[in-house]
Amino acid sequence: MSSYCADPFSYQRRVSREVKVGRVGIGGENPIRVQSMITCDTMDTEASIAQTMELAGAGCEIVRITAPTVKDAANLQHIVRGLRERGCNVPIVADIHFKPEAAMEAAKWVDKVRINPGNYADTKKFKIVEYTDEQYAAELDRIRQRFTPLVRLCKERGIAMRIGTNHGSLSDRIMNRYGDTPLGMVESALEFARIARDLDYHAFVFSMKSSNPKVMIAAYRLLVARLAEVGVDDARRATGGSSQGPGRLGSIAPTAPAQQVDKSDIEDVRNGRGGSPEPPALVPSDDRTWNYPIHLGVTEAGEGEDARIKSAIGIGSLLADGIGDTIRVSLTEDSIHEIPVAKALIDCAMRIADRGFEKAEIGSQKSPFVAAVADRGHRSATETTATTAISFDPFSYQRRPTDTILVAAVSDRRDQASDGQRPVQIKLGGAELVRVVIRKEQHEKIAHKIDRMGDYRPEIIYENANIVEIDPCDDDAIARVNRSPGPQFVTVKDEVELPMISAFRLLAAKLQPRHPILLKDVLGSAAVSAAVSCVSRETGTALRRESEEKTRGPSPAGIACATQDFLDTLLVASTNIGSLLCDGIGDAVLVQGEQAPGQSLRLSYNILQAAGARIFKTDYVACPSCGRTLFNLQTTTARIKEATLHLKGVKIAIMGCIVNGPGEMADADFGYVGGAPGKVNLYVGKQPVKFNIPEAEAVDRLKDLIREHGKWVEPAQLPMAEATAWSEW
């Protein structure tokens, strides 16, 4: 049984076939590609050309343009012609939702068509319908009839397609059979892929986007595992063998009810490796294989620092596992700002994946884990990875079940040590909040103002917490901790020469579950230097330019990314710590790659929020702008944040149109969605409750709606001393 990656302890890029988008190759031996989307009205030909050329000039390799109607799709002809006449050959992708007719028109002019299987031939009305197997099969036949003409046209023209599932727009049919789950996302895409393959069309790419990094990571992992399994099944059938028996992950038929999927049947997938140390390499030229390229993205990530953190958690963690052939960082900002962040994420992920070597080479089979373990004379890496099962379920989030312990806590009282009182203690592990740790040296710099730091104060001083530092390859040290009568607070030694994610996964796999773990963003001073220099000179210059354009003073909201170095640190910390948190690993976090204690603490808390590990402020889900957007997303998001930023624990979704609105808002408390030009609909959860509100009144009406549901509190005036403290950070 294949896994979601070749080796969860050592980087290997997933092998995929090449799909050509215009002149740009995706997958195969190509580098990871960067793409983005223009934001203007598709009917504005000159603006569309100008924005596309601006993106291409910034290093965007593929540009997507929305085509919400047949009229918009027809205008792509003029946009593409104008670009080519100006010498711009960047591939153009038509973004299609709801309208097969628009897809057919767009496919005449563009290099690639993106379709959403959740709304291409289905509707979403949140209806509960129990389908019999015969009824479900009839629905699939209806989809085949709607989808086949587009597949044939794309094949005839030699253009590519992306089958892109969005968590927020799963169809009622999929929701009723598989639920609102990563499995539903994967099966939604595979239904369309089977039709394409039946027509001998293979120039397509998959994506599994969600605004929730945990859901997004699980969906992509499950997709990769499913693709490997159906590929094996197809190969067996082609050679006269039999496919996996009922209930296996590899044979979840499109008509199989979700409740028939037995988790115990896929245990060998969850152990991280399956039945053999290395799954067989896929042969790109063999159309029986399902080794299609994969596009990564966190949808509705938002803007500013929070959006960059959320994108790094979702995209960066998958890249570190070798998954992903093309990426988009979706920001509620001008799309030009997405490009340097995407480039930096790729640079950082590749360095993190192969830390300790001069250069991480995509597709290389050399393993820093193997080299590091062998050099120190421990058990061979082959033995370790072949016999060590990962501690987490890669397809379903569960926090690692540790015991709860007490450790010394940071106190607001500076005289506590001298007045004879017992030190304050704080609970850690188990069901407790994931805690924030700081080094003693850093704590001393801010000790005088801890009582004014609000929600961003440190909770534990590293040197006071009796933390056990371990090399996860040292089996003797692991055994000593596991023999201890009580649970120990454990972390990875700074001197360990392993990739960060691999080191902590290995530690969690070998430690008994009772021991809480402290996560770090980087290991020691050498790692800090590597982290800060992980971005290429070209990308660093672009990041600096973006930073200079966008700098706003640091704020308690954590919106600003003030310097290039801090942004580099942010991406590394978010990828490393965020990935592990989404694996369910970690009971406390320490960001030591950032030397400014205030920024380090803010980054720690913001990573916890973005990973869904600890909610301490208002949470926003905001889509990036595109031609479908019915209001100015950037200014509207700013106005909503200004009015609601103080509502701790409230989640607000801001959607420019209905495409992903209700679905992505399913776990939001309130939603603000464009309903028509100049009109806004308000939601409670996924239910619309207020309609056609004039845009000028909509923010005030949103505040009223929050009051009606008992979640409004009046904003407190920020004390002058606290404001001064923030300005010093």
Side-chain angles (χ1 to χ4, degrees):
M1 180 75 69
S2 299
S3 169
Y4 74 96
C5 69
D7 186 344
F9 301 114
S10 179
Y11 175 81
Q12 292 182 44
R13 185 176 174 186
R14 172 181 172 267
V15 179
S16 65
R17 71 178 69 213
E18 181 185 53
V19 169
K20 282 283 192 179
V21 183
R23 300 181 180 181
V24 175
I26 295 176
E29 297 182 357
N30 292 291
I32 296 168
R33 302 296 190 182
V34 174
Q35 57 182 281
S36 185
M37 190 170 186
I38 67 171
T39 60
C40 63
D41 186 342
T42 307
M43 293 306 298
D44 189 335
T45 304
E46 289 304 316
S48 298
I49 292 171
Q51 285 193 12
T52 300
M53 293 185 68
E54 183 183 28
L55 284 173
C60 180
E61 297 169 283
I62 300 170
V63 176
R64 187 154 42 109
I65 303 175
T66 186
T69 68
V70 174
K71 183 178 179 182
D72 291 285
N75 198 52
L76 292 170
Q77 174 187 10
H78 305 296
I79 295 171
V80 172
R81 184 172 60 215
L83 288 167
R84 305 302 179 244
E85 288 173 349
R86 290 165 173 80
C88 180
N89 292 310
V90 65
I92 300 299
V93 182
D95 193 60
I96 304 295
H97 294 271
F98 303 113
K99 301 282 188 181
E101 299 82 5
M104 291 296 293
E105 178 63 30
K108 300 175 184 177
W109 317 114
V110 297
D111 303 291
K112 180 181 174 186
V113 176
R114 179 271 169 113
I115 62 105
N116 182 343
N119 58 34
Y120 186 83
D122 279 328
T123 59
K124 187 177 185 70
K125 298 180 179 178
F126 297 98
K127 289 183 177 179
I128 298 176
V129 179
E130 293 295 333
Y131 291 93
T132 65
D133 287 350
E134 292 76 14
Q135 289 171 327
Y136 200 94
E139 287 294 294
L140 292 179
D141 286 341
R142 180 180 60 82
I143 291 171
R144 181 179 295 272
Q145 293 174 14
R146 295 282 276 170
F147 186 48
T148 292
L150 178 63
V151 173
R152 285 178 171 158
L153 179 56
C154 289
K155 183 179 179 181
E156 178 185 330
R157 289 203 61 235
I159 66 172
M161 180 188 298
R162 171 154 66 95
I163 302 174
T165 303
N166 277 13
H167 183 222
S169 54
L170 293 177
S171 67
D172 288 344
R173 177 178 51 79
I174 286 290
M175 292 278 284
N176 280 283
R177 172 129 307 189
Y178 298 100
D180 185 15
T181 63
L183 178 60
M185 296 172 67
V186 172
E187 286 302 323
S188 179
L190 291 184
E191 288 178 350
F192 280 70
R194 292 184 184 101
I195 296 170
R197 285 174 58 88
D198 286 348
L199 296 168
D200 197 26
Y201 175 72
H202 300 277
F204 58 87
V205 178
F206 286 107
S207 66
M208 299 278 127
K209 292 193 175 185
S210 173
S211 62
N212 183 329
K214 287 177 184 173
V215 174
M216 174 252 197
I217 291 169
Y220 276 106
R221 286 172 172 173
L222 183 58
L223 171 69
V224 171
R226 289 287 289 116
L227 293 179
E229 286 305 306
V230 296
V232 169
D233 279 355
D234 283 1
R236 283 175 176 153
R237 282 191 291 268
T239 57
S242 61
S243 63
Q244 296 283 351
R248 303 294 288 178
L249 178 64
S251 63
I252 299 174
T255 57
Q259 60 266 27
Q260 291 181 1
V261 181
D262 187 346
K263 288 189 176 182
S264 65
D265 285 338
I266 59 173
E267 194 61 36
D268 49 345
V269 173
R270 289 181 175 152
N271 72 16
R273 299 194 55 79
S276 60
E278 292 189 13
L282 299 175
V283 182
S285 60
D286 185 354
D287 286 339
R288 291 174 298 182
T289 64
W290 285 67
N291 55 341
Y292 298 100
I294 291 176
H295 168 71
L296 302 181
V298 177
T299 192
E300 281 89 40
E303 52 103 41
E305 182 176 310
D306 290 339
R308 286 156 175 80
I309 291 172
K310 188 178 284 190
S311 295
I313 292 173
I315 297 171
S317 64
L318 289 164
L319 289 177
D321 274 336
I323 298 171
D325 303 287
T326 170
I327 72 171
R328 181 198 176 188
V329 175
S330 299
L331 303 178
T332 309
E333 304 173 15
D334 292 341
S335 52
I336 194 71
H337 298 302
E338 298 177 356
I339 308 309
V341 181
K343 287 185 171 184
L345 258 180
I346 294 171
D347 288 343
C348 288
M350 293 302 98
R351 293 281 179 153
I352 290 167
D354 211 357
R355 190 169 66 82
F357 292 94
E358 289 186 0
K359 182 179 181 181
E361 296 187 13
I362 298 173
S364 172
Q365 296 301 308
K366 65 184 178 183
S367 166
F369 177 84
V370 171
V373 176
D375 287 347
R376 286 199 302 280
H378 292 303
R379 241 176 8 126
S380 75
T382 301
E383 284 184 299
T384 303
T385 57
T387 61
T388 303
I390 57 176
S391 65
F392 59 93
D393 181 342
F395 309 122
S396 177
Y397 172 80
Q398 292 180 348
R399 184 173 171 182
R400 184 172 170 269
T402 68
D403 288 355
T404 301
I405 62 175
L406 289 171
V407 298
V410 174
S411 173
D412 292 350
R413 297 188 56 189
R414 286 167 294 197
D415 62 341
Q416 189 172 45
S418 61
D419 65 8
Q421 294 189 34
R422 292 182 61 186
V424 175
Q425 292 186 307
I426 191 171
K427 289 183 178 180
L428 171 81
E432 297 297 321
L433 295 173
V434 179
R435 302 299 181 183
V436 173
V437 178
I438 192 171
R439 292 278 186 178
K440 185 176 181 180
E441 180 184 1
Q442 299 296 81
H443 172 258
E444 290 173 351
K445 297 177 183 178
I446 57 172
H448 64 285
K449 58 186 177 184
I450 283 181
D451 59 339
R452 306 193 305 272
M453 290 172 59
D455 293 315
Y456 294 88
R457 69 182 66 193
E459 296 176 298
I460 298 169
I461 296 174
Y462 187 92
E463 290 79 1
N464 297 348
N466 295 319
I467 297 171
V468 180
E469 298 180 334
I470 290 182
D471 180 343
C473 297
D474 187 342
D475 287 347
D476 291 338
I478 295 283
R480 284 194 296 272
V481 172
N482 284 338
R483 286 195 301 267
S484 64
Q488 303 292 309
F489 192 13
V490 184
T491 193
V492 174
K493 279 185 177 180
D494 278 343
E495 295 79 13
V496 170
E497 289 296 331
L498 294 175
M500 178 65 56
I501 296 172
S502 301
F504 278 97
R505 282 180 178 170
L506 190 59
L507 179 66
K510 292 185 172 185
L511 275 183
Q512 293 173 356
R514 61 194 176 108
H515 302 296
I517 290 177
L518 167 67
L519 303 179
K520 300 175 181 177
D521 61 329
V522 291
L523 294 174
S525 58
V528 172
S529 299
V532 171
S533 63
C534 73
V535 181
S536 68
R537 180 177 301 177
E538 176 187 359
T539 302
T541 301
L543 287 168
R544 187 181 300 109
R545 186 184 305 116
E546 179 196 355
S547 173
E548 291 170 354
E549 293 173 357
K550 294 181 64 59
T551 296
R552 297 168 286 177
S555 68
I559 293 176
C561 291
T563 68
Q564 175 206 345
D565 286 347
F566 179 61
L567 184 56
D568 298 351
T569 303
L570 178 152
L571 296 177
V572 172
S574 302
T575 296
N576 284 336
I577 294 177
S579 173
L580 292 161
L581 289 170
C582 289
D583 286 343
I585 300 170
D587 303 281
V589 301
L590 169 65
V591 172
Q592 55 185 7
E594 170 55 46
Q595 297 305 301
Q599 291 201 133
S600 172
L601 290 167
R602 189 181 80 226
L603 180 53
S604 298
Y605 277 101
N606 284 339
I607 290 172
L608 292 177
Q609 171 108 4
R614 183 167 177 173
I615 307 302
F616 72 99
K617 62 180 182 179
T618 317
D619 198 13
Y620 298 96
V621 177
C623 68
S625 296
C626 73
R628 293 186 300 267
T629 303
L630 296 168
F631 52 77
N632 187 306
L633 267 165
Q634 293 184 48
T635 58
T636 300
T637 300
R639 286 191 293 112
I640 291 174
K641 283 191 171 184
E642 183 180 8
T644 62
L645 200 57
H646 63 289
L647 300 176
K648 297 179 183 180
V650 174
K651 187 170 185 177
I652 299 173
I654 308 163
M655 302 290 171
C657 73
I658 201 64
V659 166
N660 291 316
E664 291 294 352
M665 292 187 305
D667 61 347
D669 298 299
F670 304 97
Y672 182 110
V673 181
K679 302 291 184 180
V680 172
N681 298 335
L682 299 181
Y683 285 66
V684 175
K686 61 186 180 184
Q687 297 298 328
V689 294
K690 308 284 184 182
F691 300 90
N692 296 319
I693 301 169
E695 188 179 344
E697 305 172 13
V699 174
D700 288 335
R701 296 284 292 276
L702 174 63
K703 291 165 61 177
D704 292 340
L705 186 62
I706 297 172
R707 285 191 184 94
E708 290 175 19
H709 286 78
K711 295 196 174 185
W712 180 264
V713 294
E714 293 300 326
Q717 185 67 35
L718 186 67
M720 181 59 67
E722 186 172 344
T724 302
W726 275 107
S727 68
E728 293 172 1
W729 289 10

